[in-house]
Amino acid sequence: MTTPDRVHPAWLPPEAFRAIGSRRTLVLGDGLLAETVHDEVAQASARYGGSVRRAGDGPYDLVLALTTAEALPGVAGEVRPDSAIGDEGYVLARRDGVTVVLADEPAGLLYGLFHVVRLGERAFAGERPAEHHRPAVRRRMLDHWDNVDVHPVMGQVERGYAGGSVFWRDGAPRGDLARVRAYARLLAACGINAISVNNVNVHATEAHLLTDRLGDVAALADVFRPYGIRVHLSVSFASPVVVGGLPTSDPLDEDVRKWWADVTGRVYDTIPDFGGYVVKADSEGQPGPFAYGRDHADGANLLAEALAPYGGVVHWRAFVYNHRQDWRDRSTDRARAAYDHFAPLDGRFRDNVILQVKHGPIDFQPREPVSPVIAAMPATRVAVELQVTQEYTGQQRHVCYLAPMWREVLGFRPWGADGSDVADLVGGGDLVAVSNIGDDPYWTGHPLAQANLYAFGRLAWEPRLDPVAILDEWIDLTFVPAATGDTERLRRTLHEIMDDSWRTYERYTAPLGVGFMVRPGHHYGPDVDGYEYTPWGTYHFADRDGVGVDRTRATGTGFTGQYPPPWSEVYESLADCPDELLLFFHHVPYGHVLRSGSTVIQHIYDTHFAGAEQAAEAGRRWEEAVGLFDPALHARVKDLLDEQVRCAEEWRDQINAYFFRKSGVPDARGRRIP
Ligand code: BDP
């Protein structure tokens, strides 16, 4: 695979700062992040011949100032708003030839600076009435599933498809803080402000990050801090036993409570702006409160109590289900599990507990309904968790631009058209995602997967952004500044390949929302029955007559009843259920006619032929674009597209052959099914 000889600048190539770097800039205000802003502008100015000052009369082309500054120069004083701009917000305006960014806090200056970077020359043209920008979501967080030690099965980064960890290598910190700093910059530029630096599955070595290896975490926090990013840590619920030497981790035990209070105090002595703990408890073998006959509220509140004096939070994950089911007894339904565990606990969590819920009820499949837990806990702070790392969406070997899926999740209205949407529910709260980067020179293995990380940050800041517009922004920042060829063709090529790539992926993989037809373990490529007779709770029930999971109240698992109306009724009804989720909610005969007018079996054939063809078309588009991109990047993406085309055909053939043999129904269009 072709690899560049240096780390790819992703969406911050030096050329993206050309417009700023050639101007006369004033940075007014103190504080660590104001220093960062100054240093960014100074670097750009050194490169492009501009200037940056910290005080003094102009003239200036760009003023980045804190509202607390003693005297705001002319135009900046005029655009200062009467009301508060808010912690991370900023006002952007342009008047009389001066572009102004005003913020109450240094973080706002930093985000304002990156807005000016995004605008490029447009920031310095014409007039711009004052626009007030502030993030919709307060904590915009990335979880790293990075192991400190190499895990024998999962490797350095669990579900990582971009090489090793940028934080850890073989049991120790990597020490390459320049790389971490570059990462922090990229994250700040798309709006991320919190990061958890180790895997939610906390193994023995990682458990020590909380105590004797806290210095390793502090070193990372020092690098993230100048970019406004707070560090969080995944901790083991069994820490009191594993690293504390206590006989129990019972959340109601006095010694256990004291242990957490002491340890947490030491964490804050070392890292005063520490964010908090992330916990995966009683899930997939991780320890939790169940061992002591306690529930998740007892467990979460224990840690919350220890963190409360310092303003820290617990992200308690709702990904809890029985992964040792008896597949012969299918009375339990994994989709129900999170709601069944957590909804009854609503109101019992302390206010610094954030229940972190995966966006779908099962597990990051390419298509799932939105988790009913998100709407079921009005008295609990709920965070929605997305997966930027492409575990089930092509593992960064396939192009799969995920922003359209996330936009659908954020736009889902659990109470129907007149009610709030998910973006409203997480507004002011938390949006979390599993990161997709590693030590690969392109950061994300597949260079085009960088767009997913960028899009996550931007959607967390502004959940109603249009995915196509975000992609445009990303193209503008990543490729256009240093491009030498036809930038319009370059842009068109990327849109053609990426805009619809999630739906393309959906077409050639598991059909109609059924999910999990992947190879067990690593989850790459097709294996229709791979999980069908296993204890994981992920079934499709295909037989000679039909396919799908009956989750209705009338005849199935009753999962539809976890939604409020109208969705409880829409999903329950065979006639009303959206096609793309039909097999998630219903078991139907192959001849069942979809809302689209096609039968289920014909839909399977059609979408699989179409999806594989669209992947091939993407490959052709990319080949035509040779010369528009850096040659090493072009070659890397070409190799990956070849693999995507191969794999899409494999999916097409296995899915189509499987359902042809089960159903005996031929393709109405007579195409070749192996
Ligand atoms: C699943 C992954 C597994 C993670 C788990 C989680 O396969 O590696 O540990 O999610 O979210 O999707 O905890």
Side-chain angles (χ1 to χ4, degrees), residues 357-435:
V357 183
K358 287 192 181 182
H359 66 83
I362 305 254
D363 193 2
F364 297 140
Q365 296 306 291
R367 176 72 73 171
E368 288 188 49
V370 169
S371 168
V373 178
I374 297 167
M377 306 198 58
T380 306
R381 289 170 72 180
V382 170
V384 173
E385 182 179 320
L386 308 172
Q387 196 182 39
V388 186
T389 194
Q390 289 172 240
E391 176 177 4
Y392 296 101
T393 49
Q395 304 203 345
Q396 281 140 252
R397 292 198 246 173
H398 298 218
V399 182
C400 188
Y401 176 51
L402 291 166
M405 168 160 85
W406 300 332
R407 187 66 202 77
E408 280 191 16
V409 169
L410 292 164
F412 178 73
R413 296 183 184 275
W415 297 277
D418 300 331
S420 313
D421 64 7
V422 171
D424 293 325
L425 295 176
V426 297
D430 287 55
L431 198 63
V432 183
V434 186
S435 175

Side-chain angles (χ1 to χ4, degrees), residues 65-188:
L66 286 184
T67 49
T68 50
E70 295 262 298
L72 291 176
V75 175
E78 290 166 29
V79 297
R80 170 196 235 139
D82 299 332
S83 55
I85 300 175
D87 288 354
E88 297 179 305
Y90 55 91
V91 168
L92 174 68
R94 181 168 167 85
R95 213 183 262 189
D96 305 333
V98 186
T99 302
V100 179
V101 173
L102 280 182
D104 291 342
E105 302 286 339
L109 277 194
L110 184 65
Y111 294 124
L113 169 73
F114 284 122
H115 193 143
V116 176
V117 174
R118 283 201 293 278
L119 291 172
E121 279 302 327
R122 284 169 297 160
F124 300 98
E127 298 274 292
R128 185 177 282 268
E131 305 160 6
H132 193 161
H133 296 271
R134 57 161 78 87
V137 175
R138 199 176 177 81
R139 193 177 292 101
R140 306 170 298 278
M141 179 163 175
L142 280 178
D143 282 3
H144 272 253
W145 287 357
D146 296 20
N147 298 312
V148 176
D149 262 334
V150 177
H151 185 271
V153 180
M154 293 298 173
Q156 188 80 63
V157 180
E158 179 150 345
R159 310 307 182 185
Y161 311 103
S165 169
V166 292
F167 305 141
W168 320 101
R169 180 158 52 197
D170 298 343
R174 268 184 87 105
D176 181 3
L177 293 177
R179 185 77 194 257
V180 179
R181 193 167 301 113
Y183 184 43
R185 261 184 102 218
L186 288 173
L187 295 187

Side-chain angles (χ1 to χ4, degrees), residues 278-444:
V278 178
V279 190
K280 173 177 178 178
D282 287 315
S283 166
E284 298 185 332
Q286 292 298 303
F290 287 174
Y292 308 98
R294 317 294 183 199
D295 62 26
H296 284 279
D298 298 326
N301 289 343
L302 163 76
L303 304 187
E305 181 187 56
L307 288 158
Y310 314 97
V313 295
V314 186
H315 287 92
W316 190 268
R317 295 180 81 232
F319 183 59
V320 178
Y321 69 100
N322 177 5
H323 72 290
R324 296 215 178 96
Q325 301 196 15
D326 179 352
W327 62 269
R328 294 158 300 185
D329 164 17
R330 290 174 169 185
S331 59
T332 56
D333 175 5
R334 175 164 161 183
R336 295 187 53 120
Y339 182 106
D340 285 344
H341 280 290
F342 287 95
L345 301 178
D346 189 34
R348 291 240 346 259
F349 293 99
R350 289 188 61 125
D351 60 9
N352 59 331
V353 173
I354 297 159
L355 188 67
Q356 185 167 316
V357 183
K358 287 192 181 182
H359 66 83
I362 305 254
D363 193 2
F364 297 140
Q365 296 306 291
R367 176 72 73 171
E368 288 188 49
V370 169
S371 168
V373 178
I374 297 167
M377 306 198 58
T380 306
R381 289 170 72 180
V382 170
V384 173
E385 182 179 320
L386 308 172
Q387 196 182 39
V388 186
T389 194
Q390 289 172 240
E391 176 177 4
Y392 296 101
T393 49
Q395 304 203 345
Q396 281 140 252
R397 292 198 246 173
H398 298 218
V399 182
C400 188
Y401 176 51
L402 291 166
M405 168 160 85
W406 300 332
R407 187 66 202 77
E408 280 191 16
V409 169
L410 292 164
F412 178 73
R413 296 183 184 275
W415 297 277
D418 300 331
S420 313
D421 64 7
V422 171
D424 293 325
L425 295 176
V426 297
D430 287 55
L431 198 63
V432 183
V434 186
S435 175
N436 66 344
I437 71 121
D439 66 1
D440 169 55
Y442 288 109
W443 297 96
T444 49

Side-chain angles (χ1 to χ4, degrees), residues 479-480 482-494 621-631 633-634:
F479 296 108
V480 172
T484 49
D486 179 346
T487 51
E488 273 323 298
R489 242 188 87 208
L490 177 151
R491 184 190 308 284
R492 214 168 43 241
T493 301
L494 289 168
R621 286 261 167 279
W622 187 255
E623 286 194 27
E624 286 161 18
V626 68
L628 292 178
F629 294 87
D630 165 74
L633 183 137
H634 189 272

